[in-house]
Amino acid sequence: MGILGIGVDIVHLPRIIQLMERRTPAKLAHRILSAKELAVWNAFRAEEAARRTRYLAVRWGVKEAAYKALFPLARPTWKDFTFHSLSPDGLRKPMLEYHTDDEAAFSWKLHASVSHDGDYVFATVLAETC
């Protein structure tokens, strides 16, 4: 197994809030979330604005970091990735799926880690060959 790349990203929550205000939360969500992620985001109540914002910020950061880890071997789009948070029971680590038809990508494994504190989200993605 070899490392293909490492990507990191820092997201400032006020930036995501500005994007949500400029485009509307739903338009931004449709732009960056995969179908699975969008279903989860849509299940949040409108009154849960902070939760919806953090959900988008985490996915933004993870996907930016993943792109950095895979470029130039791949040029994925926002919707090519689905990030799954830690499972409610704590038994499944966060994971990142890459949806592609590129056969080379089937031998890649992506590891994702996210941390958030206050107004910041920090994401790291490590891409390796299997």
Side-chain angles (χ1 to χ4, degrees):
M1 288 197 247
I3 294 175
L4 295 172
I6 299 170
V8 299
D9 197 59
I10 298 173
V11 180
H12 192 217
L13 287 173
R15 178 174 172 234
I16 298 299
I17 291 167
Q18 287 176 343
L19 290 171
M20 290 170 68
E21 290 171 350
R22 191 171 1 149
R23 292 191 169 88
T24 78
K27 283 184 182 178
L28 181 62
H30 281 281
R31 180 177 156 223
I32 69 168
L33 299 178
S34 69
K36 290 179 188 177
E37 292 168 327
L38 190 58
V40 172
W41 189 82
N42 283 327
F44 297 146
R45 295 187 324 270
E47 302 83 43
E48 297 179 288
R51 187 174 181 196
R52 293 176 122 207
T53 301
R54 186 166 308 277
Y55 187 86
L56 288 176
V58 165
R59 271 110 197 118
W60 182 290
V62 167
K63 293 174 185 203
E64 282 282 326
Y67 185 89
K68 293 170 185 175
L70 293 174
F71 185 83
L73 298 173
R75 290 192 166 98
T77 66
W78 291 106
K79 295 182 180 192
D80 289 340
F81 296 111
T82 299
F83 178 69
H84 301 277
S85 299
L86 182 69
S87 63
D89 60 10
L91 297 177
R92 185 196 73 227
K93 292 175 74 170
M95 69 178 222
L96 183 61
E97 291 180 73
Y98 179 34
H99 314 285
T100 181
D101 294 330
D102 182 356
E103 289 187 25
F106 295 118
S107 65
W108 301 344
K109 185 170 183 175
L110 300 175
H111 305 273
S113 179
V114 177
S115 182
H116 38 84
D117 185 26
D119 282 349
Y120 294 92
V121 172
F122 180 80
T124 305
V125 172
L126 182 132
E128 69 173 335
T129 58
C130 297

